[in-house]
Amino acid sequence: MSGARGWFRRNGHLVVFLLPGLVLYGLFMAYPLLTSLSYSLSDWHGLVRGAFSGLANFVKVLGQWPYNARFWGALSHNALFFALTLAIQSSLGLFLAALLSRKWRGFAFFQAVYFLPYTMSMVVVGFLWLLLLNPTWGPVAHGLRLVGLDAWVQPWLGQRSTALITVILVNAWHWLGFPVLVFMAAIQGIPREFYEAGLVDGANEWQGFRHITFPLLLPSLAMMSILTFIWDFNAFELVFVMQGASGAPNYATDLLATFFYRTAFGDPTTGGEPGQIGLASAIGVLMLIIIGAASAFGVRFSQRTQTEY
Amino acid sequence: MKSIGGKRLVAALLVLALLGVAAAQSLTFWSWRTEDVDAYNGFIAAFHKDHPGIDVTFTPYKNTEYNTILSTALQGGGGPDIVHLRAYGGMEPLAQAGLLVPLGDKVPALKDFDPNVLKAATNRADGKVYGVPFALQTIQVLYNKDVFAKLGLSEPKTWQEFLDVAQKIKASGIDALANGSKDPWTVETLFGGVAPAFYGCNAFYDKMAAGTATFEDPAFKTALQRMVDLEPYLASNYQGVAYSDMQSLFAYGQAGMLIGGSYELGTLAQLAPNFHVGSFLIPNDQGKTCETFYVDGSYGINAASKNQDADVQFINFLASKAYGQMFTDTLKQISAVPGVVPTDPVLAQMANRMHSEGTPYLMLTLFRYGQPSGSTLLQNEMQAVLAGSETVDQAAANIQRGVATWYKFQ
């Protein structure tokens, strides 16, 4: 008893400081996660929970048509979503960051312009591009027709071949300002002496970027890649707003989160159908495993690239 | 003795006072009909005139979020007193979970409702009715009478005549049909307008209901093929044409026809007040027709509501003929209350056809009780077929395979 009391006297302040955070974390993170895990192991009849069913829901999601087709389809769409976004932010984003770091006249203005979309709500961005890309009345189609490029007018969001790419590009438009900002901050944190030393050794612009800026940017690049991975594998709003919960057309833009949503609550575009809570929870748990495992791996990997000046 | 009598009097007065307080009750009423707020406030005012002790507050939520909001609230023991319920598979899980009050012995007027209509609010497990159906919708071709007059067209009597009409409208420089496929559910509406006459109306429907026919039946495939035959006449860039675009294209005369629901009449009257609209059914090769209809939803009572008596009074009002007439006149929709005749002539025509040659909306009324629902399958498979990335045979096989995971075929 006295040992426990002594421990509390020495460490009690730690408990007091940790408690509010632990309670909030437990209530809003750990508790829902554990509930969804237990939901995923049960049989469900509509909204009524049935008996313990082991891994039956997981077997169904991963092995039974049409769930397996939807799951692997959605997973591959998320992967493409991530890969393309990563490619755009590590090329165009990095280029813009390097360019804007020059601090030439007027660049502050462009910096604001590139960052502006990121401050807008995803839902607003979705509706905005839905209107812009409308093939009947949209300004993009109108502009193309004005310059005689009628044949270029396509139902971009309605075609299987173009819908997902279009959504990914809209997402990149919205998102790009953030990585640019992070990369610029990292570039500005690199000491000038490195470049001066390089200059003395006869390095040109490109060599300066290739051998000084880029290696020292690796930690930021790695961190942005992990963040992008987490966000893109959780992506939902944009597809929900622009293409609906079924990932139209014909599941071409279906993501893990939209698949989860309509399995849990029913496809809202049909006006209501019963949801499948057990199956949806299994999808949620699988998402958690995929994102958690990949992020943990990414964090470990990126720790090796850490640099101290 | 005297003092006890005095106490009794006080107690009696107290009970009366409490009853008086209880009589001035306020009910909450949740819905997804954000566009009908004014109409419902009018209906509620009419109810309040006869029942001054009961106030009702109408609160609508966003259509696509309503189901989630409602089922979450009801499961938590909260939610409104009066619930605007979806139909068929959309309401059944709530009834099965014991969250709604069975209305059979509380609403005498339900006995006169069409049994087919009551199916939309019935829990198949216990056979009880949990809602008072409010609106019936029909699906047909709406057409622009001015366009038809200008081009010298008349309502077609066979499938071939329908294709000719479409061809002539297209040749005049506007779209024949305003229909698009961007929003998956509008593809199912297209199905509801085109398919029934080709799959054989109620005869085929009854076989599907009994599980003795499948989606790979040649008649069903023919029906899907007829949808594909209309592809050249859909709106330009139809794959990118969303529901609101369809409404505008038709209302502003950029398309001659729209395969749509009876609910379009209300929107049309708002978008283009001087529009001359007509309607007909798509005939099959021999000229046979039938009209798809369905129940939109119903009004139910939350089992956890603390104002059950007042709830029942309000629900009985919603089942009355006076309410049905008010509903159809205000919202330009067909009331589910028996004996109510729409004053709008086009709507009355749709209602008449429904009584003489109505056939229930196939996927909604039979195949939305499980996942993947027939609706989700049909919508997505037909998007693929219309876009040419799948054949009708593949689509029919996929629909059958998906529905068969939870529906019992013989």
Side-chain angles (χ1 to χ4, degrees), chain A residues 90 142 205 279:
Chain A
S90 327
H142 189 65
E205 281 282 315
L279 217 55

Side-chain angles (χ1 to χ4, degrees), chain A residues 244-285:
Chain A
S246 69
N250 189 28
Y251 317 110
T253 59
D254 200 15
L255 301 176
L256 287 170
T258 48
F259 178 41
F260 163 81
Y261 180 91
R262 69 168 187 278
T263 309
F265 305 115
D267 187 346
T269 59
T270 67
E273 60 188 29
Q276 302 188 95
I277 295 169
L279 217 55
S281 301
I283 299 168
V285 170

Side-chain angles (χ1 to χ4, degrees), chain A:
Chain A
M1 275 307 278
S2 71
R5 191 175 293 169
W7 179 89
F8 193 79
R9 189 167 296 164
R10 269 175 276 117
N11 300 311
H13 63 287
L14 290 179
V15 175
V16 171
F17 280 120
L18 285 174
L19 206 59
L22 273 178
V23 167
L24 286 177
Y25 183 83
L27 205 61
F28 295 108
M29 293 293 295
Y31 174 70
L33 279 177
L34 290 174
T35 350
S36 69
L37 185 63
S38 87
Y39 282 3
S40 72
L41 300 173
S42 303
D43 197 18
W44 285 79
H45 308 282
L47 302 170
V48 186
R49 189 173 178 172
F52 176 78
S53 66
L55 294 175
N57 285 321
F58 291 90
V59 171
K60 208 170 172 185
V61 170
L62 296 174
Q64 186 186 317
W65 192 90
Y67 303 105
N68 58 355
R70 297 291 92 80
F71 180 81
W72 297 116
L75 188 66
S76 72
H77 297 155
N78 276 107
L80 184 68
F81 206 109
F82 167 65
L84 258 181
T85 308
L86 187 69
I88 292 168
Q89 77 186 30
S90 327
S91 55
L92 184 62
L94 194 57
F95 173 74
L96 286 174
L99 195 67
L100 292 173
S101 302
R102 310 246 124 201
K103 301 219 171 278
W104 288 340
R105 251 166 75 105
F107 271 22
F109 170 74
F110 285 104
Q111 195 182 326
V113 167
Y114 288 119
F115 192 68
L116 198 65
Y118 183 67
T119 61
M120 289 160 69
S121 139
M122 200 62 135
V123 178
V124 174
V125 170
F127 275 116
L128 182 69
W129 280 96
L130 211 49
L131 295 176
L132 289 173
L133 294 173
N134 185 315
T136 315
W137 337 87
V140 175
H142 189 65
L144 286 172
R145 288 195 184 101
L146 269 185
V147 294
L149 292 171
D150 295 43
W152 285 25
V153 175
Q154 302 276 322
W156 297 281
L157 291 165
Q159 290 177 145
R160 285 181 56 83
S161 52
T162 51
L164 184 59
I165 303 284
T166 310
V167 172
I168 293 172
L169 292 177
V170 169
N171 178 66
W173 177 86
H174 171 248
W175 162 252
L176 196 63
F178 185 65
V180 166
L181 197 74
V182 171
F183 294 154
M184 278 180 67
I187 290 173
Q188 276 152 23
I190 299 171
R192 302 300 315 160
E193 293 83 3
F194 293 3
Y195 294 100
E196 282 156 18
L199 212 58
V200 170
D201 286 345
N204 60 24
E205 281 282 315
W206 167 246
Q207 285 167 328
F209 176 82
R210 169 72 189 78
H211 296 286
I212 301 171
T213 314
F214 188 72
L216 292 173
L217 263 180
L218 271 180
S220 309
L221 276 168
M223 187 201 71
M224 276 314 304
S225 306
I226 297 169
L227 284 180
T228 308
F229 180 85
I230 294 172
W231 272 313
D232 288 352
F233 271 76
N234 279 318
F236 173 74
E237 297 104 311
L238 202 58
V239 168
F240 186 69
V241 168
M242 297 178 78
Q243 308 296 92
S246 69
N250 189 28
Y251 317 110
T253 59
D254 200 15
L255 301 176
L256 287 170
T258 48
F259 178 41
F260 163 81
Y261 180 91
R262 69 168 187 278
T263 309
F265 305 115
D267 187 346
T269 59
T270 67
E273 60 188 29
Q276 302 188 95
I277 295 169
L279 217 55
S281 301
I283 299 168
V285 170
L286 287 170
M287 284 173 71
L288 181 72
I289 292 171
I290 294 168
I291 297 168
S295 310
F297 176 78
V299 168
R300 283 194 86 158
F301 180 76
S302 75
Q303 274 165 350
R304 283 200 240 141
T305 64
Q306 291 297 342
T307 332
E308 302 267 347
Y309 301 124

Side-chain angles (χ1 to χ4, degrees), chain A residues 44-48 64-67 70 127 130 134-137 145 153-160 240 242-244 246-251 261-277 279, chain B residues 64-65 67-68 71 75 86-87 89-90 93-94 96-97 99 182 184-185 188 236-241 245 248-249 252 254 364 368-373 375-377 379-381 383-384 387 389-390 398-399 401-402 405:
Chain A
W44 285 79
H45 308 282
L47 302 170
V48 186
Q64 186 186 317
W65 192 90
Y67 303 105
R70 297 291 92 80
F127 275 116
L130 211 49
N134 185 315
T136 315
W137 337 87
R145 288 195 184 101
V153 175
Q154 302 276 322
W156 297 281
L157 291 165
Q159 290 177 145
R160 285 181 56 83
F240 186 69
M242 297 178 78
Q243 308 296 92
S246 69
N250 189 28
Y251 317 110
Y261 180 91
R262 69 168 187 278
T263 309
F265 305 115
D267 187 346
T269 59
T270 67
E273 60 188 29
Q276 302 188 95
I277 295 169
L279 217 55
Chain B
T64 48
E65 290 161 10
N67 299 356
T68 318
S71 64
Q75 284 180 86
R86 305 284 190 180
L94 299 174
Q96 280 178 357
L99 301 169
K182 168 78 173 65
W185 68 272
E188 191 177 351
S236 335
N237 284 311
Y238 69 92
Q239 292 182 74
V241 171
D245 303 330
S248 309
L249 283 172
Y252 301 134
Q254 283 162 288
L364 167 61
R368 261 192 223 172
Y369 288 95
Q371 282 189 2
S373 69
S375 294
T376 300
L377 289 162
Q379 294 170 11
N380 287 283
E381 296 298 326
Q383 271 185 335
S389 61
E390 227 175 70
N398 282 339
I399 295 170
R401 202 174 157 205
T405 59

